[in-house]
């Protein structure tokens, strides 16, 4: 895999999307994988930008024919990452960021063991609840359901190589950027991207 693959996971309201978008603004060499989903677009979302919004039947067809490298059902909706798109990015040697849930991240690790997993935690459950309420888009029942789901999601944090506590956005962005850079500098990546720098090692003295 000539490109670097980073998965970023967090419970709803932890600030994952804001964190990822800020990193992408700073790092022009990163590509964000746009997932497919069956959920309805939220206000301000655009098809092909935040998600590829498709009908459930079309999603299941793509899933059953191997169109997704990972997929999951979250809060009654399906989400998946295009296998063809990822393969194309890797073929170009591009670094790719996936913003996915813990189930999807587990599937990506199985398919691409070289991938790097990052989990974003909120500083506390009360702060997570505050952030969900500030959205102003969810009912009390939905907020309660999301908080319960968040607890279940956060119990999988130990499956990830890196953990960021998103208490201060600028600090969290810096930490995520550091993880991405460290992943790029691993021996396997450097050797694949710059084999000529290593060629002299095979020569006899």
């Amino acid at each position: 895999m000539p490109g670097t693959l980073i998965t970023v996971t967090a419970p709803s309201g932890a600030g994952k999307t804001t964190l990822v978008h800020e990193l992408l603004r700073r790092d022009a060499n990163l590509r964000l994988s746009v997932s497919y989903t069956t959920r309805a677009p939220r206000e301000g979302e655009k098809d092909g930008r935040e998600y590829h919004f498709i009908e459930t039947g079309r999603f299941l067809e793509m899933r059953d024919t191997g169109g997704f490298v990972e997929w999951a059902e979250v809060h009654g909706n399906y989400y998946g990452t295009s296998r063809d798109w990822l393969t194309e990015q890797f073929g170009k040697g591009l670094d790719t960021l996936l913003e996915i849930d813990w189930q999807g991240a587990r599937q990506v690790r199985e398919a691409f063991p070289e991938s790097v997993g990052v989990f974003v935690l909120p500083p506390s459950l009360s702060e997570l609840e505050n952030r969900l309420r500030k959205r102003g888009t969810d009912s009390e029942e939905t907020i309660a359901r999301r908080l319960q789901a968040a607890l279940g999601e956060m119990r999988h944090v130990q499956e990830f190589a890196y953990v960021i506590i998103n208490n201060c956005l600028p600090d969290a962005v810096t930490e995520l950027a550091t993880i991405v850079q460290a992943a790029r500098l691993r021996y396997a990546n450097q050797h694949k991207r710059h084999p000529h720098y290593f060629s002299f090692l095979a020569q006899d003295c």
Side-chain angles (χ1 to χ4, degrees):
M1 183 172 63
T4 301
L5 178 59
I6 310 290
T7 63
V8 181
T9 301
S12 179
K16 173 186 60 176
T17 299
T18 302
L19 177 60
V20 165
H21 285 177
E22 182 60 25
L23 176 65
L24 292 169
R25 188 183 67 81
R26 296 186 186 186
D27 192 335
N29 294 318
L30 270 177
R31 300 291 185 274
L32 178 65
S33 174
V34 179
S35 298
Y36 286 75
T37 184
T38 60
R39 79 159 171 79
R42 294 180 182 141
E43 184 177 355
E45 290 183 333
K46 183 179 179 181
D47 183 51
R49 186 178 63 188
E50 283 79 14
Y51 289 96
H52 297 292
F53 297 99
I54 60 176
E55 297 295 327
T56 300
R58 173 59 178 152
F59 186 99
L60 295 178
E61 179 184 346
M62 291 179 67
R63 180 198 66 181
D64 294 343
T65 55
F68 297 121
V69 68
E70 63 82 23
W71 69 274
E73 183 178 359
V74 182
H75 304 309
N77 296 301
Y78 290 104
Y79 296 81
T81 300
S82 169
R83 183 181 300 276
D84 288 344
W85 188 87
L86 275 184
T87 301
E88 179 183 355
Q89 303 312 300
F90 296 156
K92 295 177 180 178
L94 298 174
D95 297 328
T96 307
L97 197 70
L98 269 68
E99 186 183 343
I100 54 179
D101 78 311
W102 68 268
Q103 299 174 75
R106 178 183 286 178
Q107 293 176 63
V108 169
R109 283 195 302 274
E110 293 173 354
F112 302 103
E114 305 93 338
S115 64
V116 176
V118 182
F119 199 100
V120 181
L121 283 173
S124 66
L125 273 180
S126 60
E127 176 59 23
L128 182 63
E129 183 176 357
N130 288 337
R131 293 176 184 179
L132 290 173
R133 292 187 182 283
K134 284 180 181 179
R135 286 180 175 178
T137 59
D138 296 327
S139 65
E140 288 296 317
E141 180 182 354
T142 299
I143 290 174
R145 188 175 70 249
R146 289 189 182 277
L147 285 173
Q148 187 63 35
L151 277 174
E153 293 166 17
M154 289 188 286
R155 291 192 176 104
H156 293 273
V157 66
Q158 72 275 6
E159 299 178 16
F160 293 77
Y162 297 96
V163 179
I164 293 174
I165 299 173
N166 189 13
N167 192 30
C168 172
L169 180 61
D171 290 346
V173 174
T174 298
E175 290 169 354
L176 182 55
T178 300
I179 292 169
V180 171
Q181 185 62 12
R184 286 170 171 160
L185 296 177
R186 290 180 300 181
Y187 168 78
N189 283 0
Q190 291 287 70
H191 190 275
K192 288 177 181 178
R193 286 179 168 174
H194 311 288
H196 53 285
Y197 288 126
F198 298 86
S199 59
F200 74 93
L201 296 175
Q203 300 173 4
D204 293 331
C205 296

